[in-house]
Amino acid sequence: QVQLVESGGGLVQTGGSLRLSCAASGNAFSIKTMGWYRQAPEKQREFVAIITNAGAATYRDSVKGRFTVSRDYAKNTVYLQMGRLSPEDTAVYYCYAVTNMGHWGKGTLVTVSS
């Protein structure tokens, strides 16, 4: 099993920045891909960004150029650096990791005020 714990959420003004972190424990050595999803109020959970063990990153279109996903392989941690935030980015952000199955963190709330 893999356990994921997110941190770094909070309240930020429009145009501001935040960095989310997600630390993996347990069978973290078996993780292939890590990344982030988000769920806004009354909306479905959506993909944000992922990064493979090889360092290849993929982003949803609306965050390209504003968000950067990265990993510290030694610390089994994935980060999401978010910039030029807007109220549309307000959501609970969930860490996601893939081994031979998917694993989810409990989420961290990001609120962007207008």
Side-chain angles (χ1 to χ4, degrees):
Q1 275 291 353
V2 172
Q3 293 79 43
L4 304 171
V5 178
E6 303 98 334
S7 61
L11 175 64
V12 64
Q13 292 185 332
T14 295
S17 300
L18 275 177
R19 189 176 84 152
L20 306 182
S21 301
C22 171
S25 60
N27 292 331
F29 63 91
S30 60
I31 292 175
K32 302 170 185 176
T33 297
M34 293 186 78
W36 297 89
Y37 283 68
R38 67 186 181 187
Q39 187 166 16
E42 301 182 0
K43 292 189 177 180
Q44 290 189 334
R45 192 172 298 188
E46 64 184 20
F47 162 78
V48 177
I50 57 169
I51 184 167
T52 68
N53 279 354
T58 305
Y59 300 90
R60 73 177 296 107
D61 286 346
S62 63
V63 308
K64 286 180 181 177
R66 299 189 300 122
F67 291 10
T68 302
V69 63
S70 61
R71 282 175 74 174
D72 184 327
Y73 297 91
K75 295 181 178 179
N76 294 317
T77 299
V78 65
Y79 303 96
L80 186 67
Q81 179 68 48
M82 305 185 293
R84 287 185 283 140
L85 286 162
S86 72
E88 289 70 34
D89 297 312
T90 293
V92 177
Y93 283 70
Y94 295 92
C95 182
Y96 180 67
V98 177
T99 57
N100 59 347
M101 59 184 289
H103 307 269
W104 292 96
K106 293 184 178 180
T108 184
L109 177 62
V110 172
T111 303
V112 184
S113 64
S114 57

